[in-house]
Every structure is written in C-alpha cells, then in structure tokens.
Amino acid sequence: MKEMLIPYILICWILVKMGIITWNLRNAVKMVGIGIGILMLLFFGHRMWSPVDMTNSTTVKAPHATLAPIMMMQVDEVFVDHNQKVKKGQLLYTQVSMDTKSQIQALEAEKQALSSQITANEAQKKADMHSIKNIEANYQRLSKMGSFAAEQSLEDVRAQLDTARARTAAVDASINAVQAQIAGVEARLATARWQDDRKEVRAPFDGQVSIINLSSGAIFGGIHLYDTSRKFVEMRVADQTYGLIEPGQFAEFYVDAYPGRTFRGRVHSLRTGTGEAQVSLMPGDQHVRQHIGNNMSAHGRTVIIEFDEHMNGGYDIPIGSTGQAWISARKPADFLGFIDMIGGATMRLTAMKSYLMAL
C-alpha cells in the first residue's frame, strides 16, 4: 500500500527541483503532513471500503469427493495417475471380485423358479375357477328339479363346491407367499448388483485427482477427486468489514501461478462460523487460558468469492494456489467510489511484485 505514495513523492521532488516550491521547514512539514494524510486515507480506505487481503493468504479451493473402496474389498487395479484430469464416468480403479457374478446368477435362477411356480399356481387357479363354474351350474340345475333331485345329490354337489373354493383360496395364499419370496430375492439381487457395480469405481463428475496414494491390494484409503467446475476463492478480511460486505459485490484476485494477471469474481457469501467458534464435544468447561490463548490475536473472517474461468480468459487456475484479493465493499456515500481504485491498485502492485517472489 505504501507504494501508492511514490507518485506523490515524485511530484514533491520535481516541484522542489524546479524551484516552484522552496524547500524549507514550513513546506517540508506541509508535504510530509499531506503525505501522512494520504497514507492514512489509503489505510482506512482499503481497510473498510475496499478491503484488501494484506496477508496474501487468498487461496483457490474446490469441493472434492473421497472415493474409498468398500470395507474389506481389496483394490485390484488403478487406472489414473497423479493430478490427472478425468471426465464424468471415467474408470478410476477396480476392486477384487467377490463372486458377485455367480451370486447374481443364482438369485436370478431362484427368481425364475419362483416365477414358474406362480405361473403353475395361476394355471391351477384358472382350472379351479372353471371347475367351480361347472359345479355351480350343476348345483343350480339340481335345485330347479325340486323333489325330483335327491337330497344326497345336492349335498354332494355342495361339498364339491366348498372343496373347490377352498382349493382356490389355498392357491391364492400360495401365490401371495411366492410373491413375497420373489420380493426378498429381488432385494438380495439389488444388493448383489450394487456390490458388483461398486467393483468399478468411476468419477461422479468432471474433475482432477490429487496425489494417488492408492495401489493394488489396498483395503483402506481412497482417491480425492476435486470438482474443477466449482472452484472458488477464500479470502481473509478484518472483522471490522463484516457489515460492509454483501453477496454479489465485485471482487478481483490474483494468484502467484499467474503473476501480474488479475481475475474477476463476485462475493458469494461471508463465512460466519470459524474454528474459534467450535466447542469441544467432550463434556467439561474450557480453560480460561485456553480461550485467551486461542483468541488473543486477530483472526478476522473469510469471504467466499465465486468466479468463472471461461470469463477470465480461460486460464486453468490451479487449486491450492495463493495470492491476494480485494472487494468493492458497501460505502457510506457514492462519491467514495474512487476508493475502489486504491484496492485495485494495491492488489495489482502486489501481483506485479509476485514476479520477484520466485527469486
């Protein structure tokens, strides 16, 4: 930020050298006083209304997924390498087979046998229904004959009708029981198929893998896959600017990976809870000295800045790269909008100096 005074110092030096201003104690005090005033204005300007991350800890981050093998399943073969970019659905690694293929075939055969049993029961039920219809017709015919029909014949037909209906009810119960068995087989079949599909671990989205610490034979571990389409920037600001930052505000940042290059974004949200806000899950009171030790220094807040790489020249901004950022915060009056130039200039000066940081 102090580099912003270089033009002022140069102007003062030219005025003195050209004799426009006489160098004496009075003029020297005025020049130094004006310089200190400009410096204070710059300080409070970037601190409050165009905050700049003076810690240079602005970091590019991205959500990630940990693709770990199923418990007690060994990794068979890994198909990706360190820092490789992958597409959605791309095969990352396979796991050792647990004979799920034979298990699936056995369950499918069991389901087919139960389905055949239902088909046979339905055929039996159809035959019984036809028999019941014939018995009912015979019973009605004997009933119309009146006294000519022997009572014994009516009783026999009625017994046959009751027996056929009972047999039909038993067939219905058998069909329901077999259907319940099929539902159980389908549940086990779905589990077996899920386990079989899990043998091939594929990328759930387009992204980039990290360091591959997984190898053949591993049981624990996993592959970290970063979602490169959802990169964001996390920037630190002072607590005093909390009430001046709102979602949607304009922001710029740079990273050391591209020194001198600035990128644009928008404020997504301001993080409210930090690590200092967390309490222990273990019962008991926190020691006062622990509370003081953790919070005696200034922490500040972090702001999430969203950006689009395609809108920033298509640069592939590496995840984990650090730099500096500034935000055009809410100002008490519109005429103070010129202070945004201070935040932008401060960040650009740091971006230019990042060329020298590699030396």
Side-chain angles (χ1 to χ4, degrees):
M1 183 185 65
K2 53 184 177 294
E3 291 87 350
M4 299 293 294
L5 289 178
I6 294 177
Y8 173 76
I9 296 173
L10 181 61
I11 292 174
C12 292
W13 180 79
I14 292 174
L15 292 176
V16 172
K17 284 294 183 181
M18 295 181 64
I20 299 175
I21 296 178
T22 303
W23 182 253
N24 52 39
L25 180 60
R26 180 181 178 182
N27 291 334
V29 171
K30 288 182 179 180
M31 289 182 181
V32 173
I34 293 174
I36 293 176
I38 294 175
L39 183 63
M40 295 299 294
L41 176 63
L42 294 176
F43 175 78
F44 287 109
H46 92 82
R47 187 73 170 177
M48 300 296 296
W49 300 319
S50 61
V52 181
D53 175 23
M54 303 305 295
T55 62
N56 293 350
S57 59
T58 298
T59 308
V60 179
K61 300 182 178 181
H64 72 276
T66 302
L67 307 175
I70 300 178
M71 184 65 69
M72 303 310 296
M73 286 189 67
Q74 289 186 341
V75 174
D76 185 20
E77 188 174 359
V78 181
F79 296 93
V80 290
D81 205 350
H82 305 300
N83 304 311
Q84 179 179 337
K85 293 185 177 180
V86 298
K87 293 293 185 179
K88 181 178 180 180
Q90 182 174 339
L91 182 62
L92 303 180
Y93 65 91
T94 57
Q95 301 180 87
V96 177
S97 175
M98 294 179 60
D99 297 330
T100 52
K101 289 293 185 183
S102 59
Q103 185 180 1
I104 291 174
Q105 293 175 356
L107 291 172
E108 287 179 345
E110 184 179 353
K111 180 181 177 181
Q112 184 65 32
L114 293 172
S115 299
S116 301
Q117 186 176 348
I118 288 180
T119 302
N121 289 335
E122 288 178 346
Q124 180 63 37
K125 179 181 178 181
K126 186 176 181 180
D128 291 340
M129 294 299 294
H130 183 70
S131 177
I132 289 174
K133 184 180 291 185
N134 292 334
I135 295 173
E136 287 178 344
N138 189 24
Y139 181 78
Q140 291 177 0
R141 181 178 59 81
L142 291 175
S143 299
K144 291 179 180 179
M145 293 178 64
S147 58
F148 294 99
E151 186 66 26
Q152 183 66 34
S153 299
L154 288 174
E155 290 294 337
D156 292 341
V157 173
R158 190 180 296 112
Q160 293 176 7
L161 184 60
D162 293 339
T163 302
R165 288 175 177 172
R167 188 166 56 246
T168 302
V171 171
D172 288 336
S174 178
I175 291 175
N176 294 333
V178 174
Q179 287 176 344
Q181 293 179 12
I182 290 178
V185 172
E186 288 178 345
R188 287 184 291 161
L189 189 59
T191 302
R193 286 173 176 167
W194 178 80
Q195 291 179 346
D196 187 66
D197 293 338
R198 286 280 293 174
K199 289 192 305 184
E200 294 185 351
V201 179
R202 299 182 179 273
F205 46 78
D206 294 347
Q208 183 176 6
V209 298
S210 182
I211 299 299
I212 304 299
N213 295 322
L214 202 65
S215 63
S216 300
I219 298 178
F220 298 99
I223 290 180
H224 290 270
L225 178 63
Y226 290 94
D227 189 352
T228 53
S229 65
R230 298 172 58 194
K231 294 179 183 177
F232 62 91
V233 171
E234 189 168 4
M235 164 194 172
R236 180 194 177 275
V237 296
D239 278 324
Q240 290 80 356
T241 61
Y242 177 81
L244 302 176
I245 297 178
E246 300 171 352
Q249 290 174 336
F250 178 79
E252 286 184 322
F253 68 95
Y254 95 93
V255 292
D256 291 329
Y258 296 105
R261 173 71 188 179
T262 59
F263 304 97
R264 295 184 176 184
R266 293 284 179 182
V267 174
H268 175 273
S269 58
L270 196 148
R271 185 176 178 184
T272 55
T274 61
E276 291 76 28
Q278 296 178 354
V279 295
S280 175
L281 297 178
M282 299 297 293
D285 295 328
Q286 183 185 32
H287 296 290
V288 176
R289 61 178 179 272
Q290 182 181 1
H291 170 77
I292 296 174
N294 290 338
N295 300 282
M296 64 186 303
S297 59
H299 298 299
R301 304 278 180 173
T302 56
V303 180
I304 304 301
I305 299 174
E306 55 185 357
F307 66 95
D308 189 346
E309 289 181 321
H310 298 289
M311 300 294 292
N312 284 284
Y315 283 83
D316 184 9
I317 304 176
I319 299 172
S321 55
T322 59
Q324 191 180 77
W326 77 278
I327 298 173
S328 177
R330 179 165 49 85
K331 301 169 182 61
D334 293 338
F335 71 88
L336 293 174
F338 73 92
I339 295 181
D340 286 345
M341 294 187 298
I342 301 173
T346 302
M347 189 209 67
R348 282 168 170 78
L349 284 173
T350 308
M352 296 301 296
K353 289 191 296 183
S354 66
Y355 281 104
L356 304 176
M357 294 179 183
L359 301 179

